[in-house]
Amino acid sequence: MIADYMRSHILSLESYTSARDEFSGYAEVYLDANENWKDFSLSGKNRYPDPHASELRRKIEEVMGFRVENTVLGNGSDELIDMLIRIFAEPGKDCVLIERPTYGEYKVFAEINGVEVINVPLTDSLELDVDAIKSSIDEKSPKIVFICSPNNPTGRSYDIDVIREIADYNPSLTVIDEAYADFDPSFVSAYTLLKDNERVAVLRTFSKYWALAASRIGILIASPVVIKAVNKIKAPYNVSLSAQRDGLEALGNADGRKAVLEEILGEKKRLEGEFGRFSFVEKIYRSDANFLLIKVSDADALYLYLMKKGIIVRNRSREPLLSNTLRITIGSKEENDKLLEAFDEREKSTVS
Ligand SMILES: *Cc1c(COP(=O)(O)O)cnc(C)c1O
């Protein structure tokens, strides 16, 4: 049972209940939450928002297919990562497992919470090292195994059968962070594993494909036991009214996102082709996300050169297995043209 892996005091915790938890429906007069009666915003912002974001979660089910009873929303998926660590891992005692290189927040939140991080390197081809992960699970009994797919910063989606093998083997929680799933046309979500395995949890975000990074909306899709635990510890109003409205608006305009996706995938292909022309580009990694990781002859120098031109990319050279790499987000056609122009100038100055 996944509940056996949670910290015991969380299970017995009596959580805060807001006035709006005890009453649902419509009332004539609300004098229960000490709000200001005057709505200066003319759009309901004087009232506390729905703590469960029920309307948005119903829309998420309709558009993305994640059932309402399997979801809870966070102030970005980063907040959900933090909450999962706090639910499962005892500070100073427990550990979580991550692969390296991967998204940096799993480690940061674990360390903030006084939870040890077990690092399992990816293979040289940047795939999951299943045997090494399994033996680390045996040896260290991590409370959470994090898998980022498509992985940031490598861009690689992992085979769903490999993820299933790890999640089935792991007796504790396996979290699959699918922040970039929408950019991979052949992606199979680990959500499909949840019906046979209550220890699977999936993270999605509105920050990338849905173009709402500023609104801070993350989705956790998990078994009802895990959802219940998150609802117990989360701040009641963690997703603002504006954010809930932004999310609804975005899901109502899915066609617009789809059109931009096609552009991003086209531009990714174009950049992959163009990058090959430059003598300082040594390798373009296969990417299933909206960014490209490239290996160059001198990443630090190129990074600074681009910065001087007003172009900011991410230098990932300090990550294991990724010496001399830059991670470049696929921008608009105009932004990508500016990047290529800067690459051209760089090429001329290095060749001559
Ligand atoms: C960008 C990103 C997120 C998004 O985090 P939010 O808090 O939802 O903005 C989550 N996971 C990964 C791997 C990311 O790259």
Side-chain angles (χ1 to χ4, degrees):
M1 289 279 286
I2 190 62
D4 299 337
Y5 288 83
M6 295 178 189
R7 295 163 72 193
S8 54
H9 76 287
I10 300 282
L11 288 167
S12 54
L13 183 80
E14 183 124 17
S15 58
Y16 176 80
T17 55
S18 70
R20 301 290 145 81
D21 279 325
E22 288 159 17
F23 171 83
S24 65
Y26 175 79
E28 191 92 18
V29 180
Y30 287 101
L31 302 175
D32 58 325
N34 301 342
E35 297 144 331
N36 196 319
W37 62 270
K38 178 74 176 171
D39 182 11
F40 288 96
S41 74
L42 305 179
S43 62
K45 291 187 183 176
N46 59 321
R47 300 293 179 186
Y48 282 103
D50 173 7
H52 306 295
S54 302
E55 198 185 344
L56 178 51
R57 284 168 48 240
R58 279 195 295 274
K59 191 74 181 170
I60 285 169
E61 171 167 339
E62 183 193 317
V63 176
M64 304 183 185
F66 305 133
R67 315 250 331 241
V68 165
E69 61 267 31
N70 294 121
T71 58
V72 63
L73 305 188
N75 189 277
S77 40
D78 286 350
E79 189 197 26
L80 296 162
I81 294 166
D82 181 45
M83 288 195 283
L84 289 171
I85 291 171
R86 285 193 284 138
I87 288 167
F88 284 90
E90 197 74 37
K93 177 168 167 273
D94 290 330
C95 65
V96 298
L97 185 152
I98 65 170
E99 301 82 34
R100 291 292 297 278
T102 194
Y103 187 49
E105 292 283 37
Y106 317 126
K107 178 170 186 284
V108 172
F109 282 123
E111 287 178 351
I112 290 169
N113 287 300
V115 168
E116 192 196 345
V117 178
I118 310 298
N119 296 296
V120 178
L122 296 174
T123 65
D124 288 339
S125 51
L126 303 179
E127 294 291 345
L128 294 168
D129 190 337
V130 180
D131 292 337
I133 292 172
K134 282 182 173 174
S135 45
S136 274
I137 289 172
D138 291 340
E139 212 175 298
K140 304 279 188 178
S141 304
K143 284 296 181 76
I144 302 178
V145 171
F146 285 100
I147 297 174
C148 185
S149 180
N151 190 29
N152 176 5
T154 64
R156 189 76 53 94
S157 291
Y158 303 122
D159 191 330
I160 188 70
D161 294 324
V162 172
I163 292 174
R164 181 193 291 115
E165 187 180 343
I166 294 167
D168 285 348
Y169 190 82
N170 180 22
S172 64
L173 190 74
T174 302
V175 175
I176 301 95
D177 184 345
E178 300 183 342
Y180 298 97
D182 306 279
F183 298 102
D184 179 353
S186 59
F187 192 78
V188 182
S189 174
Y191 174 60
T192 55
L193 308 178
L194 186 58
K195 65 174 177 356
D196 298 321
N197 184 345
E198 62 156 8
R199 294 163 283 119
V200 166
V202 172
L203 290 169
R204 292 287 182 104
T205 179
F206 278 73
S207 296
K208 311 283 159 60
Y209 175 82
W210 292 99
L212 285 177
S215 301
R216 313 305 304 130
I217 315 166
I219 315 171
L220 174 72
I221 308 115
S223 53
V225 201
V226 175
I227 298 298
K228 194 172 155 197
V230 173
N231 276 314
K232 261 189 176 182
I233 75 157
K234 86 176 184 66
Y237 308 113
N238 63 328
V239 180
S240 75
L241 177 67
S242 310
Q244 294 184 33
R245 284 178 177 162
D246 291 346
L248 280 167
E249 200 269 333
L251 293 172
N253 181 20
D255 288 348
R257 265 71 182 181
K258 193 92 196 177
V260 175
L261 171 67
E262 295 309 321
E263 267 179 55
I264 290 171
L265 295 180
E267 281 294 293
K268 183 163 89 171
K269 204 171 234 169
R270 179 169 78 100
L271 287 180
E272 279 172 325
E274 294 280 338
F275 285 166
R277 310 193 269 112
F278 301 103
S279 61
F280 55 83
V281 175
E282 294 173 0
K283 182 172 180 175
I284 307 158
Y285 293 82
R286 192 198 87 206
S287 166
D288 300 302
N290 67 333
F291 55 82
L292 286 171
L293 184 74
I294 59 173
K295 193 185 246 331
V296 296
S297 47
D298 186 345
D300 290 348
L302 183 60
Y303 174 75
L304 288 174
Y305 177 84
L306 291 172
M307 191 185 283
K308 280 206 201 91
K309 300 256 160 204
I311 299 170
I312 314 300
V313 299
R314 196 92 155 106
N315 190 349
R316 296 285 76 188
S317 302
R318 309 286 174 270
E319 293 291 317
L321 303 172
L322 298 187
S323 60
N324 277 317
T325 56
L326 298 178
R327 192 196 70 194
I328 301 172
T329 309
I330 312 299
S332 66
K333 175 162 192 317
E334 293 69 29
E335 289 171 322
N336 302 333
D337 282 343
K338 285 198 180 118
L339 175 78
L340 289 172
E341 220 172 279
F343 270 26
D344 269 322
E345 282 175 40
R346 179 77 177 167
E347 180 82 353
K348 274 184 215 134
S349 65
T350 47
V351 168
S352 59

